[in-house]
């Protein structure tokens, strides 16, 4: 398996390493597809720690994180969840889009995200002291926050925070080339397209084009797809279902790549 490729934009690597050395939990804020997960994977590789990734959602329960009793032919046994595995054995437990999880689920993180660094397991009566190499990392997209899905201050204030955004053009171009093998000229055009879309003020585009989508488009081009079609399928159709928005984006793509017959 190849190592995760990540290019630093600021001092995020140094901050993360310092947090890991001091056993401080980390909160990463940033839009979808800006490199948050790739950064965590790269830091896990750099620090030599396994990364336990949990994608949070409305139905995520505390048991999904901590573990549960299961039954097999030999009877009942306890199975650790990803959070418990990381606490017990060491590693980075990464909770992606933490605000999507139920608030009663995130409460279990409190005793791990302060000086105690312990995980009580009510169903077994065990209280696990976190391994020296355990690290708790959570992320969310501030653009999706609302009154019902904000992060509680009592939870947020237990973390140090890193603010991510889309890479600057030169870094984004380098990442696209590295991840896809596309030419520098094509990568530059994709970066230019992304910049124009991100500057659009129309609120109907709920999320700006991500670096991830640019890489998808570049990979299709490398496979021989027409650049216009690659952008339509990887970028335009992924950003909106509204006909008027699709028309605007289609015209924008046409300015960079002529539509094939």
């Amino acid at each position: 398996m190849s190592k995760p490729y990540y290019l630093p934009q600021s001092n995020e690597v140094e901050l993360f390493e310092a947090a890991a050395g001091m056993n401080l939990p980390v909160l990463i804020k940033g839009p979808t597809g800006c490199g948050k997960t790739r950064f965590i994977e790269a830091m896990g590789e750099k620090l030599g720690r396994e990364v336990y990734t949990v994608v949070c959602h409305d139905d995520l329960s505390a048991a999904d994180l901590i573990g549960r009793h299961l039954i097999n032919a030999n009877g009942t046994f306890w199975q650790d969840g990803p959070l418990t595995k990381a606490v017990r054995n060491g590693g980075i437990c990464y909770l992606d889009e933490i605000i999507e999880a139920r608030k009663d689920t995130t409460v279990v993180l409190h005793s791990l995200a302060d000086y105690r660094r312990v995980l009580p397991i009510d169903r077994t009566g065990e209280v696990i002291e976190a391994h020296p190499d355990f690290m708790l990392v959570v992320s969310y997209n501030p653009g999706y926050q609302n009154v019902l899905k904000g992060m509680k201050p009592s939870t947020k204030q237990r973390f140090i925070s890193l603010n991510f955004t889309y890479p600057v053009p030169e870094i984004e171009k380098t990442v696209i080339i590295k991840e896809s093998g596309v030419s520098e000229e094509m990568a530059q055009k994709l970066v230019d397209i992304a910049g124009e879309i991100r500057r659009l003020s129309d609120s109907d585009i709920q999320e700006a084009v991500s670096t991830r989508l640019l890489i998808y488009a570049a990979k299709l081009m490398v496979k021989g797809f027409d650049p216009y079609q690659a952008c339509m399928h990887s970028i335009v159709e992924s950003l909106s279902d509204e006909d008027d928005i699709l028309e605007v984006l289609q015209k924008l793509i046409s300015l960079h790549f002529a539509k094939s017959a």
Side-chain angles (χ1 to χ4, degrees):
M1 184 176 179
S2 60
K3 292 183 179 181
Y5 179 72
Y6 180 80
L7 278 180
Q9 293 198 65
S10 183
N11 63 344
E12 66 268 26
V13 171
E14 291 80 7
L15 279 170
F16 194 94
E17 287 182 311
M22 295 184 288
N23 290 329
L24 298 177
V26 173
L27 165 64
I28 300 178
K29 301 182 288 183
T32 298
C34 70
K36 299 189 296 293
T37 299
R38 178 59 61 92
F39 171 67
I40 298 303
E41 292 173 348
M43 292 308 301
E45 180 74 26
K46 184 177 178 65
L47 295 173
R49 301 189 189 186
E50 184 172 354
V51 178
Y52 299 83
T53 299
V54 179
V55 179
C56 298
H57 52 82
D58 289 338
D59 295 326
L60 185 74
S61 67
D64 292 326
L65 292 178
I66 296 174
R68 51 173 50 91
H69 283 103
L70 299 176
I71 300 175
N72 63 13
N74 298 317
T76 302
F77 67 99
W78 173 262
Q79 179 170 286
D80 285 344
L83 176 62
T84 304
K85 288 179 182 177
V87 171
R88 197 187 298 277
N89 305 317
I92 299 171
C93 184
Y94 173 47
L95 306 181
D96 188 20
E97 295 298 344
I98 186 68
I99 62 172
E100 296 296 328
R102 302 194 312 241
K103 287 184 171 59
D104 62 328
T105 300
T106 57
V107 168
V108 305
L109 304 177
H110 285 190
S111 62
L112 285 169
D114 60 25
Y115 69 94
R116 292 171 289 177
R117 281 176 56 85
V118 297
L119 177 62
I121 302 180
D122 294 338
R123 295 187 180 184
T124 64
E126 188 178 9
V127 178
I128 308 174
E129 291 189 13
H131 189 284
D133 288 338
F134 167 73
M135 187 176 187
L136 179 63
V137 181
V138 302
S139 73
Y140 73 95
N141 180 352
Y144 286 160
Q145 274 206 61
N146 56 44
V147 175
L148 297 178
K149 283 194 173 181
M151 196 171 180
K152 291 177 64 176
S154 60
T155 301
K156 185 184 295 185
Q157 292 183 18
R158 294 169 186 268
F159 295 80
I160 66 168
S161 297
L162 292 174
N163 189 41
F164 274 43
T165 185
Y166 296 115
V168 297
E170 196 59 36
I171 288 180
E172 189 162 49
K173 181 175 73 173
T174 301
V175 170
I176 293 169
I177 294 171
K178 173 69 176 180
E179 291 292 307
S180 68
V182 78
S183 69
E184 183 174 352
E185 179 187 4
M186 287 299 187
Q188 184 62 58
K189 286 189 176 185
L190 289 170
V191 169
D192 292 341
I193 288 169
E196 292 179 32
I197 294 176
R198 291 166 187 165
R199 287 190 292 270
L200 290 176
S201 59
D202 199 313
S203 59
D204 287 335
I205 303 179
Q206 296 182 348
E207 192 70 59
V209 59
S210 68
T211 304
R212 180 189 300 128
L213 291 182
L214 301 181
I215 292 170
Y216 289 169
K219 285 183 174 181
L220 287 178
M221 293 178 192
V222 170
K223 280 293 185 181
F225 278 81
D226 173 76
Y228 174 86
Q229 293 297 330
C231 289
M232 287 299 296
H233 293 298
S234 298
I235 298 174
V236 174
E237 297 290 349
S238 297
L239 291 181
S240 180
D241 296 321
E242 302 295 327
D243 289 341
D244 54 339
I245 301 301
L246 291 174
E247 184 178 354
V248 170
L249 294 177
Q250 181 180 357
K251 289 180 179 178
L252 190 154
I253 299 298
S254 296
L255 292 175
H256 294 270
F257 297 114
K259 184 176 180 181
S260 59

